[in-house]
Amino acid sequence: MKEIDYLAPASLDEAYAALQNGKTSAFLAGGTDIIVQLREGRKQVDQLIDVKHIPELMRYGWTDGGGLAIGASVPFAEIYEDAEIARRLPCLIDCATLVGGIQIQSRACFGGNIGNSGPAADTVPALIALGATLTLGSREGTRELPLEAFFTGPGQNVLAPGELIVTVNVPPQPARSGAFFHRFIPRNEMDIAVVNVGARLELDAAGERIAGARVSVGAVAPTPLFVEEAGAALVGQAPGEEAFARAADAAAAAARPITDMRGSIAQRVHLTRVLTVRALRRALERAREA
Amino acid sequence: MTTIEKPAYKVIGTRPIRPDGVEKVTGKALYGADVHLPDLVHGAVLRSPHAHARIRSIDTSAAEALPSVLAVVTHADLPAVADTVIDTGEGVTRASDMSLNVLAGDKALYRGHAVAAVAATSAHEALAALDAIAVDYEPLPPVLSVRDAMRADAPLLDENRRTKQPDGALSDGPSNVAAHSRFEGGDLEAAFADADAVVEREFDTKMVHQGYIEPHNGTANWNPDGTLTVWTSTQGAFAVRAMLAELLRLPVSRIRVVPMEIGGGFGGKIGIYLEPLAALLSRECGRPVQLTMDRTDVFQATGPTSGGHMKGRLAVKDGVITAAEVSLAFEAGAFPGSPVMAGAMCMLSPYDVANFRVDAYDVVVNKPKVAAYRAPGAPNAAFCVEQLIDELAREANADPLAFRLRNSAREGTRMITGVAHPRIGHEETIGAARDSDHYQSPIEGPNRGRGVASGFWFNAGMQSSVVASVNPDGTVNLIEGSTDIGGTRASLAMQLAETLGIPYDDVRPTVADTDSVGHNDVTGGSRTAYASGQAVYEAGLDIQRQLVERAARLWECEAEDVSFVDGELRHASDADRRLTFAELAGKQMETGGPLQGRGSVVARSPGAAYGVHVVDVEVDPDTGKVDILRYTIAQDAGTAVHPAYVEGQMQGGVVQGIGWALNEEYYYNEDGRMENASFLDYRMPTSLDLPMIDTIIVEVPNPGHPYGVRGVGEVPIVPPLAAIANAIHDATGHRFTELPISPRRVVEELHHLR
């Protein structure tokens, strides 16, 4: 491993300047992915830009409309230890408590998990189900885009040179809605998802029909998938096994996984179906409690 | 539970604190990578990116020209070795194979095979210098399974290798099968013809690693006078010394091996990898050189244990196992020496089977050369035989433990080798498992099942040597040469304290280097508490004899009038004449000078170990995940010297067995690259994957040891693979014959996905 410069900008402007000094960069937030990648020679950069000293990236809070804006570098533990978030957005807690162990969760963050752009990232299907967007910033200004539009391939995304993730925005959730994140790993800890699924269900005023649904599946394609067909298959239906099975079929049809040391194509397609149904069942419970 | 009245031991059977405990939990214990010497430099190893390739040439000149580089070595720097066989205690290896394994010759035989090594002014410079070494490879098709390797048209790892056949003759043509052995007895065909039922299946297992926490390391200092000191993490400093002497053509006395604390071995730290490279680099640059592996190196370039293919056919008649025909083919890795013979000899040893034929094939493949792993060969073979026995019990409508008891081996039963068992404890161990709260409790609920299996391991004896020095205050320093992996400093000190009638805390044990104590074979074969314990007992008797002589001199009487009882010297007829151990220890100068006891043994009666395991599982048929709900292990320990460490060994073996059964495997791509060479994707169980593992220590004393000790470390890994497979069958009705029984395999087989 060659020598690497370390920069710790204290503001967004300093960070943007660092990104344009002509060197190849990687961001260092929790470092739980990048340090490993550098040490194993999977990535090589001239400089690490520590993004834990930029105020906008280190704070989170509720917006006027009832959404949650999370600075990209806020550690998971801060989020899941917030009782208000746990009450209002339990699906966020589902994923934030699953990434790594307590040490990892105390450093790692949503921005890092998204920026690393792994196809199996555990926070992404949960956030897509919740309808999250990203605010990206650069010297030219900021732009906002849906999370599902961010990823372009394994480890690849639309982040332009000079740009960084400022906040992850979870919009206000619809009334009578509930979301759940579910993943499958061979062990009970210390694993990358074989398949993971985030699902949100919104019930109509009578609570008898599904008014809206979002389903996202990870680890079954080069990027996390937002399966609109699965949501469409649910809308207007009575919530229950029959509708969930149709959504699961749609999710499985969208999956285009590979066979590797973490799972086979057949297993992943099968699990996509199983986990979609299980996530929808739990989302329904939460929607009814909401 | 104890089967016979146990003598009233004072120290044996207690649970004192281990002598190495405080240093380990406070982080002060010194491991191999903690060695820091004046002028120490670091090295790096260039490894083959190909699983099978001819090495046309290696050009090191550009690397040598780098200012940071102090030394570069390749196979050409190793002396030609004699074609001798080195017995490391847990297997034998030809010296020439070992020489070709530590640095590849004209062929790279597995991905990760060491090709060259560099020492440089820093570890980073050494790594960078590897890029400057030009190796011209001619890639060859790799052979990655025994089935492929045994095909007539298989690419050959060594064109000159012939199969050593059962009659000792070599095959006419070349082959990847290094040896075929056979055991036969009785009338197999008649027994099958006469059977009530016959079961027959094939089984496959994958290569798995011991997974010790501490990676391999080696630090060497080669002096200009031709003396060499090596600091390393090893299960046997004397074995390292012997192997280095052979590979480097040095007199044994010129080499000193210093065993550092060891972060796990399980058999995998008997062979040598980095030590000879560090020695050659040190000779070339004149400075001490340290080499360490990372986890990827450990997986790809050290010795895991074999995967293989097994075929078994068993018969039952009137509730009795009448015939067994089993064929085992194990991967040896790049050089011969799989544990297939041990597997073959162990798998039927819990039982009395009159008619049998067992074939064992040792097969080379383009994977790392296997090393010992906890009861090498026996778990795989038990995975085959214990599942077939489960099926036979079902055919016979018998409870699986009652069926095993009915067919159990006992004292006098002959093994397939023809050797009769001495006193063994399989029947008592089955009884303990049967009577356990676990087995007596019903298993209920959907997708749940219970499985049992038995396991056998020979245990080893071999050579041990210790010295004990008595201090003037009555404390004792015990100098021994057995690496302490499983608490043997404590269990040896306890046996010496017992023999001398003094408190455990008065004995301070130390594992010494090879210059400082007599020869000790490796800590392997579950031999140390037993064999080094016997040496310790002999040293204690030696001290007793000298104490009696000294007391007689002080009391001006005959030695036969003095006895040593309960740590005291007593006069036969004069009750006033008494000396405690400490009192006499304080009179060494006036009674003959410094008092030392010695014990050197070739221990020949290890006393085999048996374990019987009961496991409950729950299978999620939709995700394929298997949860271990409850696990109970009963095991014959002979005499449990330190019951807590015996229980720890039992639990540890089960944990590794659970990993092997459910998730662990070397996952290769078709080019022979291991794709999961990290603890993230090589899935050993975490604490969250395991229930409490209940232990039942059975004590059927080993008649071959003064305190009845049997080895305990290895046999607990033998039954889990089969016991879990039997439990999963009970839960699902499906018989899994291929390891690991991972979620992927479970859903693919239960849902017919492939």
Side-chain angles (χ1 to χ4, degrees):
Chain A
M1 189 174 137
K2 61 166 190 161
E3 288 178 4
I4 293 174
D5 291 341
Y6 168 83
L7 286 77
S11 68
L12 281 171
D13 285 339
E14 279 183 42
Y16 300 147
L19 282 169
Q20 305 208 328
N21 64 6
K23 295 182 174 176
T24 59
S25 305
F27 296 111
L28 176 72
T32 59
D33 283 314
I34 188 67
I35 298 283
V36 178
Q37 290 161 358
L38 291 169
R39 287 183 66 123
E40 291 182 353
R42 285 189 275 147
K43 242 180 207 166
Q44 283 168 349
V45 295
D46 300 327
Q47 60 184 8
L48 280 174
I49 301 178
D50 188 336
V51 285
K52 290 191 296 296
H53 302 273
I54 304 167
E56 290 87 342
L57 273 65
M58 289 302 289
R59 64 189 179 214
Y60 70 92
W62 299 98
T63 61
D64 292 341
L68 181 67
I70 306 170
S73 303
V74 176
F76 292 127
E78 266 192 65
I79 300 299
Y80 69 62
E81 284 174 358
D82 185 312
E84 180 74 1
I85 297 177
R87 191 178 62 76
R88 289 167 66 171
L89 295 168
C91 181
L92 265 195
I93 312 303
D94 297 340
C95 67
T97 51
L98 277 183
V99 179
I102 288 170
Q103 289 147 311
I104 298 284
Q105 291 157 6
S106 301
R107 295 296 274 178
C109 53
F110 285 102
N113 199 229
I114 293 164
N116 187 55
S117 301
D122 278 326
T123 67
V124 174
L127 287 166
I128 289 177
L130 293 170
T133 64
L134 297 179
T135 300
L136 309 181
S138 69
R139 185 174 272 174
E140 284 69 42
T142 61
R143 59 173 173 145
E144 187 167 341
L145 77 167
L147 178 56
E148 55 267 26
F150 181 72
F151 308 100
T152 55
Q156 292 172 326
N157 53 54
V158 302
L159 212 56
E163 202 171 32
L164 55 75
I165 304 172
V166 182
T167 56
V168 180
N169 315 300
V170 182
Q173 295 299 297
R176 297 176 301 280
S177 76
F180 188 80
F181 172 77
H182 195 46
R183 76 167 176 190
F184 180 76
I185 55 174
R187 290 183 289 198
N188 291 326
E189 266 300 341
M190 277 266 299
D191 253 322
I192 308 280
V194 181
V195 175
N196 52 16
V197 173
R200 186 178 75 188
L201 277 184
E202 180 191 349
L203 299 177
D204 64 10
E208 286 169 1
R209 297 278 157 186
I210 297 167
R214 290 175 67 90
V215 174
S216 174
V217 188
V220 295
T223 65
L225 299 178
F226 172 44
V227 189
E228 294 187 78
E229 300 84 348
L234 289 162
V235 173
Q237 306 294 312
E241 292 302 310
E242 204 178 307
F244 295 168
R246 273 202 292 278
D249 284 343
R256 40 183 204 283
I258 56 168
T259 291
D260 65 9
M261 71 273 192
R262 291 173 188 154
S264 67
I265 291 171
Q267 176 198 12
R268 284 180 159 129
V269 171
H270 170 84
L271 279 178
T272 300
R273 216 174 253 117
V274 171
L275 297 195
T276 301
V277 170
R278 289 185 180 185
L280 286 167
R281 282 182 196 150
R282 298 293 301 276
L284 176 63
E285 284 173 24
R286 283 180 174 168
R288 290 200 161 131
E289 287 162 9
Chain B
M1 66 179 293
T2 306
T3 54
I4 63 162
E5 190 69 19
K6 198 162 46 161
Y9 294 127
K10 289 200 169 73
V11 181
I12 285 172
T14 63
R15 299 171 179 241
I17 300 291
R18 60 198 300 159
D20 49 314
V22 168
E23 286 202 334
K24 283 180 176 164
V25 299
T26 56
K28 291 177 184 167
L30 294 175
Y31 293 83
D34 296 322
V35 173
H36 296 293
L37 302 166
D39 292 333
L40 180 71
V41 294
H42 293 269
V45 178
L46 182 67
R47 299 185 178 279
S48 170
H50 304 289
H52 193 189
R54 203 170 301 286
I55 297 175
R56 293 202 194 95
S57 67
I58 306 174
D59 183 355
T60 60
S61 56
E64 282 163 23
L66 291 171
S68 62
V69 169
L70 302 170
V72 184
V73 297
T74 67
H75 187 81
D77 296 289
L78 279 164
V81 295
D83 194 18
T84 51
V85 167
I86 306 178
D87 186 349
T88 55
E90 276 251 295
V92 293
T93 308
R94 280 168 63 206
S96 51
D97 287 347
M98 196 181 294
S99 177
L100 289 169
N101 195 31
V102 299
L103 279 167
D106 57 7
K107 256 187 162 187
L109 291 170
Y110 51 96
R111 185 185 159 90
H113 198 163
V115 172
V118 172
T121 47
S122 81
H124 293 312
E125 298 287 358
L127 272 177
L130 297 183
D131 293 338
I133 299 174
V135 184
D136 183 8
Y137 294 104
E138 177 195 341
L140 300 169
V143 183
L144 298 172
S145 72
V146 291
R147 294 198 204 213
D148 285 345
M150 292 172 84
R151 285 188 224 284
D153 60 349
L156 294 166
L157 272 74
D158 180 350
E159 290 79 1
N160 296 317
R161 180 168 292 118
R162 300 281 189 277
T163 305
K164 188 180 177 195
Q165 296 170 318
D167 61 5
L170 292 179
S171 63
D172 294 335
S175 170
N176 290 321
V177 180
H180 169 208
S181 310
R182 172 171 284 182
F183 300 90
E184 272 184 300
D187 186 342
L188 196 66
E189 297 318 319
F192 276 120
D194 192 37
D196 293 338
V198 175
V199 295
E200 182 171 7
R201 281 190 191 275
E202 297 188 27
F203 301 86
D204 288 278
T205 70
K206 295 279 172 50
M207 190 168 256
V208 295
H209 200 273
Q210 301 84 348
Y212 32 80
I213 293 292
E214 181 206 20
H216 292 256
N217 54 73
T219 306
N221 182 46
W222 193 310
N223 285 319
D225 63 359
T227 57
L228 170 66
T229 305
V230 171
W231 296 259
T232 187
S233 175
T234 178
Q235 293 175 235
F238 291 87
V240 171
R241 186 178 68 165
M243 289 183 276
L244 286 174
E246 198 70 49
L247 288 191
L248 303 172
R249 310 300 294 160
L250 282 174
V252 171
S253 65
R254 297 275 182 92
I255 305 172
R256 180 165 74 103
V257 176
V258 183
M260 305 301 291
E261 283 294 350
I262 185 167
F266 309 105
K269 286 190 184 149
I270 292 173
I272 54 174
Y273 303 97
L274 299 175
E275 296 89 342
L277 280 55
L280 291 173
L281 290 169
S282 176
R283 183 179 65 180
E284 192 169 320
C285 71
R287 294 168 67 170
V289 175
Q290 185 167 88
L291 293 170
T292 55
M293 289 193 183
D294 64 16
R295 185 59 54 184
T296 303
D297 294 339
V298 172
F299 275 117
Q300 294 192 341
T302 69
T305 195
S306 310
H309 176 66
M310 301 172 283
K311 200 164 17 176
R313 187 173 164 229
L314 268 63
V316 63
K317 166 91 175 169
D318 299 330
V320 173
I321 305 168
T322 50
E325 182 182 17
V326 187
S327 166
L328 309 176
F330 281 11
E331 299 166 331
F335 299 96
S338 79
V340 69
M341 285 290 276
M345 290 190 280
C346 283
M347 64 190 179
L348 295 172
S349 290
Y351 307 105
D352 185 355
V353 183
N355 308 291
F356 58 86
R357 179 161 64 233
V358 173
D359 286 292
Y361 300 88
D362 185 32
V363 186
V364 295
V365 294
N366 291 115
K367 297 182 180 178
K369 158 93 167 76
V370 300
Y373 177 18
R374 209 166 191 161
N380 326 30
F383 179 68
C384 164
V385 166
E386 291 289 321
Q387 286 202 74
L388 294 173
I389 285 178
D390 197 59
E391 290 195 71
L392 280 190
R394 283 170 190 269
E395 292 284 347
N397 283 319
D399 168 86
L401 287 182
F403 186 73
R404 283 171 170 80
L405 189 58
R406 169 94 192 265
N407 287 282
S408 179
R410 57 184 65 89
E411 186 170 358
T413 304
R414 291 194 182 279
M415 294 182 273
I416 63 169
T417 53
V419 176
H421 284 293
R423 182 76 171 95
I424 51 172
H426 187 224
E427 292 171 308
E428 290 82 352
T429 309
I430 295 172
R434 180 198 56 212
D435 298 339
S436 66
D437 177 64
H438 182 172
Y439 202 69
Q440 293 299 319
S441 308
I443 172 139
E444 288 161 347
N447 302 313
R448 293 183 167 191
R450 174 170 294 165
V452 303
S454 285
F456 163 90
W457 181 247
F458 313 97
N459 290 334
M462 306 192 288
Q463 306 173 88
S464 284
S465 183
V466 303
V467 179
S469 299
V470 179
N471 300 312
D473 61 355
T475 62
V476 178
N477 285 106
L478 171 61
I479 311 298
E480 43 127 343
S482 298
T483 297
D484 181 358
I485 322 182
T488 51
R489 266 172 291 210
S491 65
L492 296 180
M494 289 172 76
Q495 292 182 66
L496 184 59
E498 187 73 49
T499 310
L500 293 177
I502 61 177
Y504 163 77
D505 285 333
D506 285 356
V507 180
R508 187 72 203 168
T510 298
V511 179
D513 66 46
T514 53
D515 276 7
S516 309
V517 66
H519 178 92
N520 282 270
D521 282 318
V522 298
T523 293
S526 303
R527 64 174 287 277
T528 301
Y530 157 72
S532 296
Q534 204 165 316
V536 159
Y537 175 76
E538 296 291 339
L541 292 186
D542 188 19
I543 290 170
Q544 280 190 24
R545 272 192 299 274
Q546 296 179 58
L547 288 171
V548 166
E549 284 166 14
R550 289 173 188 228
R553 205 171 306 149
L554 279 177
W555 294 335
E556 296 175 338
C557 64
E558 297 300 319
E560 44 266 36
D561 292 331
V562 179
S563 58
F564 185 85
V565 183
D566 287 343
E568 266 194 353
L569 295 132
R570 296 177 189 170
H571 192 277
S573 52
D574 184 346
D576 290 340
R577 291 193 164 181
R578 281 186 168 213
L579 279 170
T580 66
F581 181 85
E583 284 167 346
L584 189 49
K587 300 179 190 300
Q588 291 186 49
M589 201 164 75
E590 53 267 49
T591 58
L595 175 50
Q596 275 199 328
R598 292 184 304 153
S600 284
V601 301
V602 184
R604 297 189 192 278
S605 311
Y610 284 89
V612 178
H613 295 203
V614 182
V615 57
D616 295 349
V617 302
E618 180 171 329
V619 182
D620 182 335
D622 291 331
T623 63
K625 191 153 171 175
V626 175
D627 275 325
I628 308 288
L629 302 175
R630 189 172 183 183
Y631 205 112
T632 300
I633 161 173
Q635 184 177 318
D636 177 15
T639 298
V641 177
H642 192 305
Y645 299 163
V646 173
E647 290 157 2
Q649 290 287 341
M650 291 161 72
Q651 293 168 324
V654 169
V655 169
Q656 287 182 311
I658 289 172
W660 195 341
L662 295 183
N663 277 306
E664 291 180 39
E665 63 176 314
Y666 270 48
Y667 188 95
Y668 280 95
N669 72 7
E670 59 192 16
D671 298 327
R673 175 195 171 107
M674 182 191 182
E675 293 197 326
N676 60 334
S678 78
F679 276 149
L680 178 61
D681 289 309
Y682 182 89
R683 297 189 186 86
M684 302 187 78
T686 73
S687 60
L688 297 168
D689 300 308
L690 301 164
M692 183 63 194
I693 294 158
D694 293 316
T695 55
I696 304 170
I697 298 175
V698 178
E699 296 189 307
V700 178
N702 171 16
H705 184 277
Y707 296 124
V709 173
R710 296 178 192 268
V712 297
E714 287 170 290
V715 76
I717 201 177
V718 181
L721 324 185
I724 291 167
N726 288 338
I728 294 172
H729 175 265
D730 191 42
T732 64
H734 184 82
R735 180 66 64 187
F736 288 88
T737 58
E738 204 173 330
L739 289 179
I741 311 173
S742 60
R744 170 181 171 178
R745 191 176 313 287
V746 173
V747 293
E748 285 181 348
E749 292 195 19
L750 291 185
H751 296 270
H752 311 289
L753 298 180
R754 54 171 187 181

